[in-house]
Amino acid sequence: MALGEFEYLLISAAATLGENAYGVAMSEAIAKATGRTCSIGALYTTLDRLEAKGLVKTWMGGGTPQRGDRSKKMVRVTPAGTVAARSFYDTMIRISNRAPWAVQ
Amino acid sequence: MRNIAWKLIEVMALRLTPTEREIVLGDLIETRETALRGMREISGLVVRRQLQLWNGWRAWLAAPGLALPCSFLLMGFSFAISSELRTHFAYGLQLNLSWAQPAEAVSLLCQAVVLIICAWAAGFTVESISRRTFVVSAICCFLPCLFCLLRFRQESLPRLCLLLFLFPAIAGVCFSRRGGTINRRRAFALVLAATICMAVLAVRGHLWVLNWELIVPAWYLAILPVRPDRMAHLRNEGIVS
């Protein structure tokens, strides 16, 4: 299944964070990697789309005092999500391997 | 100041589902966002969610498909009924002609039945098929009202007579909001009554062909599959507790 760039970023962030993947942590990971802030609107609407495609699974996690005991949206990448992300990654590597910035 | 800003954020978040509201407000607390940025984040998500609703057919059917035309057509019925009532009760009583012509009384009765059933069904249907775009549907209903109220030139009738249909329509909306359902037998009885009355009006030449659209919401109610998960869905959406 074809992924967009932001979808790939979300899946990669969730996969990297593992058990600790939830909204704020993923948003911070993406901001750190890309240098761009990730809005809540973009994050949650894209997560919904990924879940509808069966690429991630989400559920409500428990709250913590730092967030006023409000629940989190936990995220886990499904096997289909892993396949889609790998396919995106391989495509990027293949298309880039002779590009000047990759050859340097 | 921060408390006021936070209250504003919470008010804006009311447009989200309870689950999403809980998550997003938690995120804002955790990231210690400034009030301005918090409002921007929430409004961004609300706008995205609202736009998503317009990707499906439901919002389009409810607002421009039903609310707008039904509002125009039902105003016509409201006006016709008001005129007839005025004729019967004002002039009829003076001239001792009240209900002297049974045919007219039957027409008036049929118009009243159509108005009540169709307006109620339209309110119920518009609210239930696209609950989260209801504000836009309401605007689509009120714009024709405003247009007609401003152009109303009948001195013998009050302008507000055009809005008679709003009473049953609002009752239908409230019924749907409370999670009400109507069993199929009653829905069929209602739709049959409305259809017969419309047919009578059509035979007597009192019905414009486009008025048949008014029967669509009533038939929708009759053939609507009864969803046992409706209450669970409404609870999840935060509509009923």
Side-chain angles (χ1 to χ4, degrees), chain B residues 2 4 6 8 14 22 39 41 52 54 81 83 91 93 103 106 119 138 174 181 191 199 203-204 209 216 236:
Chain B
R2 188 168 167 81
I4 295 171
W6 185 251
L8 261 175
L14 288 176
E22 168 92 358
M39 277 191 251
E41 293 280 359
Q52 274 183 333
W54 293 88
I81 290 173
S83 301
Y91 301 124
L93 285 177
V106 169
C174 293
T181 49
V191 77
V203 167
R204 288 168 187 262
V209 66
V216 172
N236 188 36

Short mmCIF file of all heavy atoms in Angstrom, two decimals, chain B residues 2 4 6 8 14 22 39 41 52 54 81 83 91 93 103 106 119 138 174 181 191 199 203-204 209 216 236:
data_model
loop_
_atom_site.label_atom_id
_atom_site.label_comp_id
_atom_site.label_asym_id
_atom_site.label_seq_id
_atom_site.Cartn_x
_atom_site.Cartn_y
_atom_site.Cartn_z
N ARG B 2 -4.74 32.92 31.98
CA ARG B 2 -4.51 31.57 31.46
C ARG B 2 -5.75 30.70 31.66
O ARG B 2 -6.08 29.88 30.81
CB ARG B 2 -3.29 30.96 32.16
CG ARG B 2 -2.90 29.65 31.53
CD ARG B 2 -1.58 29.12 31.96
NE ARG B 2 -1.48 27.73 31.53
CZ ARG B 2 -1.15 27.33 30.33
NH1 ARG B 2 -0.90 28.22 29.39
NH2 ARG B 2 -1.09 26.05 30.00
N ILE B 4 -8.84 31.75 31.66
CA ILE B 4 -9.84 32.13 30.65
C ILE B 4 -9.49 31.48 29.31
O ILE B 4 -10.34 30.92 28.63
CB ILE B 4 -9.91 33.67 30.50
CG1 ILE B 4 -10.40 34.28 31.81
CG2 ILE B 4 -10.81 34.07 29.35
CD1 ILE B 4 -10.29 35.79 31.88
N TRP B 6 -7.76 28.81 28.83
CA TRP B 6 -7.97 27.36 28.91
C TRP B 6 -9.46 27.02 28.77
O TRP B 6 -9.83 26.05 28.12
CB TRP B 6 -7.39 26.82 30.22
CG TRP B 6 -7.47 25.33 30.28
CD1 TRP B 6 -8.30 24.60 31.06
CD2 TRP B 6 -6.73 24.40 29.49
NE1 TRP B 6 -8.11 23.26 30.82
CE2 TRP B 6 -7.16 23.10 29.86
CE3 TRP B 6 -5.75 24.53 28.51
CZ2 TRP B 6 -6.65 21.96 29.28
CZ3 TRP B 6 -5.23 23.39 27.93
CH2 TRP B 6 -5.68 22.12 28.31
N LEU B 8 -11.54 28.75 27.08
CA LEU B 8 -11.84 28.93 25.65
C LEU B 8 -11.43 27.69 24.85
O LEU B 8 -12.16 27.22 23.98
CB LEU B 8 -11.05 30.13 25.11
CG LEU B 8 -11.81 31.44 24.98
CD1 LEU B 8 -10.86 32.54 24.54
CD2 LEU B 8 -12.94 31.29 23.96
N LEU B 14 -15.16 21.25 22.44
CA LEU B 14 -16.48 20.61 22.48
C LEU B 14 -16.93 20.13 21.11
O LEU B 14 -17.83 19.29 21.00
CB LEU B 14 -17.52 21.57 23.06
CG LEU B 14 -17.42 21.85 24.56
CD1 LEU B 14 -18.45 22.88 24.99
CD2 LEU B 14 -17.62 20.55 25.35
N GLU B 22 -10.57 14.35 25.16
CA GLU B 22 -9.77 13.90 26.30
C GLU B 22 -8.29 13.77 25.91
O GLU B 22 -7.41 14.26 26.61
CB GLU B 22 -10.33 12.54 26.75
CG GLU B 22 -9.50 11.76 27.72
CD GLU B 22 -9.88 12.05 29.15
OE1 GLU B 22 -10.75 12.89 29.35
OE2 GLU B 22 -9.25 11.46 30.04
N MET B 39 -4.97 27.10 21.27
CA MET B 39 -6.20 27.40 20.52
C MET B 39 -6.00 27.12 19.04
O MET B 39 -6.90 26.61 18.37
CB MET B 39 -6.57 28.88 20.72
CG MET B 39 -7.33 29.11 22.00
SD MET B 39 -8.00 30.76 22.06
CE MET B 39 -6.98 31.49 23.28
N GLU B 41 -3.97 24.93 17.74
CA GLU B 41 -3.93 23.47 17.54
C GLU B 41 -5.34 22.88 17.54
O GLU B 41 -5.70 22.08 16.68
CB GLU B 41 -3.11 22.81 18.67
CG GLU B 41 -1.64 23.15 18.66
CD GLU B 41 -0.86 22.33 17.65
OE1 GLU B 41 -1.45 21.50 16.97
OE2 GLU B 41 0.36 22.56 17.55
N GLN B 52 -13.47 16.79 6.95
CA GLN B 52 -13.56 15.34 6.66
C GLN B 52 -15.00 14.89 6.51
O GLN B 52 -15.29 14.01 5.71
CB GLN B 52 -12.92 14.55 7.81
CG GLN B 52 -11.43 14.36 7.67
CD GLN B 52 -10.87 13.52 8.80
OE1 GLN B 52 -11.43 13.48 9.90
NE2 GLN B 52 -9.77 12.86 8.56
N TRP B 54 -17.33 16.33 5.15
CA TRP B 54 -17.88 16.66 3.83
C TRP B 54 -17.32 15.78 2.74
O TRP B 54 -17.61 15.97 1.56
CB TRP B 54 -17.66 18.16 3.54
CG TRP B 54 -18.49 18.97 4.47
CD1 TRP B 54 -18.12 19.40 5.72
CD2 TRP B 54 -19.86 19.36 4.30
NE1 TRP B 54 -19.18 20.05 6.31
CE2 TRP B 54 -20.24 20.05 5.46
CE3 TRP B 54 -20.78 19.21 3.26
CZ2 TRP B 54 -21.53 20.57 5.62
CZ3 TRP B 54 -22.04 19.73 3.43
CH2 TRP B 54 -22.40 20.40 4.59
N ILE B 81 -51.49 26.97 4.46
CA ILE B 81 -52.34 26.65 5.62
C ILE B 81 -52.79 27.92 6.33
O ILE B 81 -53.96 28.08 6.68
CB ILE B 81 -51.59 25.71 6.58
CG1 ILE B 81 -51.45 24.33 5.94
CG2 ILE B 81 -52.31 25.59 7.92
CD1 ILE B 81 -50.59 23.38 6.71
N SER B 83 -53.13 30.88 5.07
CA SER B 83 -54.12 31.58 4.25
C SER B 83 -55.49 30.93 4.37
O SER B 83 -56.50 31.61 4.52
CB SER B 83 -53.69 31.56 2.78
OG SER B 83 -52.47 32.17 2.64
N TYR B 91 -63.02 35.26 7.54
CA TYR B 91 -64.17 35.56 6.66
C TYR B 91 -65.28 34.53 6.81
O TYR B 91 -66.45 34.86 6.78
CB TYR B 91 -63.71 35.62 5.21
CG TYR B 91 -62.65 36.67 5.00
CD1 TYR B 91 -61.42 36.33 4.45
CD2 TYR B 91 -62.87 37.99 5.38
CE1 TYR B 91 -60.45 37.29 4.27
CE2 TYR B 91 -61.90 38.95 5.20
CZ TYR B 91 -60.68 38.59 4.64
OH TYR B 91 -59.72 39.53 4.47
N LEU B 93 -66.32 32.77 9.35
CA LEU B 93 -67.20 32.97 10.51
C LEU B 93 -68.11 34.18 10.32
O LEU B 93 -69.28 34.16 10.64
CB LEU B 93 -66.37 33.14 11.78
CG LEU B 93 -65.74 31.84 12.32
CD1 LEU B 93 -64.89 32.14 13.55
CD2 LEU B 93 -66.83 30.84 12.69
N ALA B 103 -64.90 20.16 0.71
CA ALA B 103 -63.71 19.94 -0.12
C ALA B 103 -62.56 20.80 0.36
O ALA B 103 -61.39 20.35 0.43
CB ALA B 103 -64.03 20.25 -1.58
N VAL B 106 -61.19 19.44 3.59
CA VAL B 106 -60.34 18.25 3.36
C VAL B 106 -58.95 18.69 2.89
O VAL B 106 -57.92 18.17 3.35
CB VAL B 106 -61.01 17.29 2.33
CG1 VAL B 106 -60.03 16.22 1.88
CG2 VAL B 106 -62.24 16.66 2.93
N ALA B 119 -42.47 17.81 7.94
CA ALA B 119 -41.52 18.68 8.65
C ALA B 119 -40.86 17.90 9.78
O ALA B 119 -39.64 17.99 9.98
CB ALA B 119 -42.24 19.90 9.20
N ALA B 138 -28.70 23.49 9.56
CA ALA B 138 -29.61 24.49 10.12
C ALA B 138 -29.49 25.80 9.34
O ALA B 138 -30.50 26.46 9.06
CB ALA B 138 -29.29 24.71 11.59
N CYS B 174 -35.22 17.39 17.91
CA CYS B 174 -35.04 17.08 19.35
C CYS B 174 -35.21 15.58 19.60
O CYS B 174 -34.47 14.98 20.38
CB CYS B 174 -36.04 17.86 20.19
SG CYS B 174 -35.75 19.62 20.14
N THR B 181 -35.97 6.54 18.48
CA THR B 181 -36.17 5.74 17.26
C THR B 181 -37.67 5.55 17.08
O THR B 181 -38.44 5.63 18.04
CB THR B 181 -35.50 4.36 17.36
OG1 THR B 181 -35.88 3.77 18.59
CG2 THR B 181 -33.99 4.45 17.29
N VAL B 191 -45.91 7.59 7.03
CA VAL B 191 -45.56 7.86 5.63
C VAL B 191 -46.76 7.58 4.71
O VAL B 191 -46.99 8.30 3.72
CB VAL B 191 -44.30 7.07 5.21
CG1 VAL B 191 -44.57 5.63 4.96
CG2 VAL B 191 -43.68 7.69 3.98
N ALA B 199 -51.34 12.77 -2.26
CA ALA B 199 -52.05 12.33 -3.47
C ALA B 199 -53.38 13.06 -3.60
O ALA B 199 -53.75 13.50 -4.70
CB ALA B 199 -52.26 10.82 -3.41
N VAL B 203 -54.41 15.41 -6.68
CA VAL B 203 -55.63 15.21 -7.49
C VAL B 203 -56.44 16.51 -7.57
O VAL B 203 -56.99 16.86 -8.60
CB VAL B 203 -56.47 14.06 -6.89
CG1 VAL B 203 -57.87 14.02 -7.49
CG2 VAL B 203 -55.75 12.73 -7.10
N ARG B 204 -56.46 17.25 -6.47
CA ARG B 204 -57.24 18.50 -6.44
C ARG B 204 -56.46 19.67 -7.04
O ARG B 204 -56.93 20.80 -7.01
CB ARG B 204 -57.59 18.84 -5.00
CG ARG B 204 -58.63 17.92 -4.44
CD ARG B 204 -58.75 18.07 -2.95
NE ARG B 204 -59.65 17.06 -2.44
CZ ARG B 204 -60.93 17.30 -2.18
NH1 ARG B 204 -61.44 18.47 -2.39
NH2 ARG B 204 -61.69 16.32 -1.73
N VAL B 209 -45.40 19.85 -8.32
CA VAL B 209 -44.74 18.56 -8.52
C VAL B 209 -43.50 18.41 -7.63
O VAL B 209 -43.20 17.33 -7.12
CB VAL B 209 -44.43 18.33 -10.03
CG1 VAL B 209 -43.40 19.32 -10.54
CG2 VAL B 209 -43.97 16.91 -10.27
N VAL B 216 -39.68 12.33 0.78
CA VAL B 216 -38.44 11.53 0.84
C VAL B 216 -37.99 11.27 2.28
O VAL B 216 -37.73 10.12 2.64
CB VAL B 216 -37.31 12.20 0.00
CG1 VAL B 216 -35.98 11.51 0.20
CG2 VAL B 216 -37.70 12.20 -1.46
N ASN B 236 -21.05 7.02 22.14
CA ASN B 236 -19.66 7.21 21.76
C ASN B 236 -19.43 8.60 21.21
O ASN B 236 -18.39 9.21 21.40
CB ASN B 236 -19.28 6.15 20.71
CG ASN B 236 -17.82 6.17 20.40
OD1 ASN B 236 -17.00 6.39 21.29
ND2 ASN B 236 -17.47 5.96 19.15
#
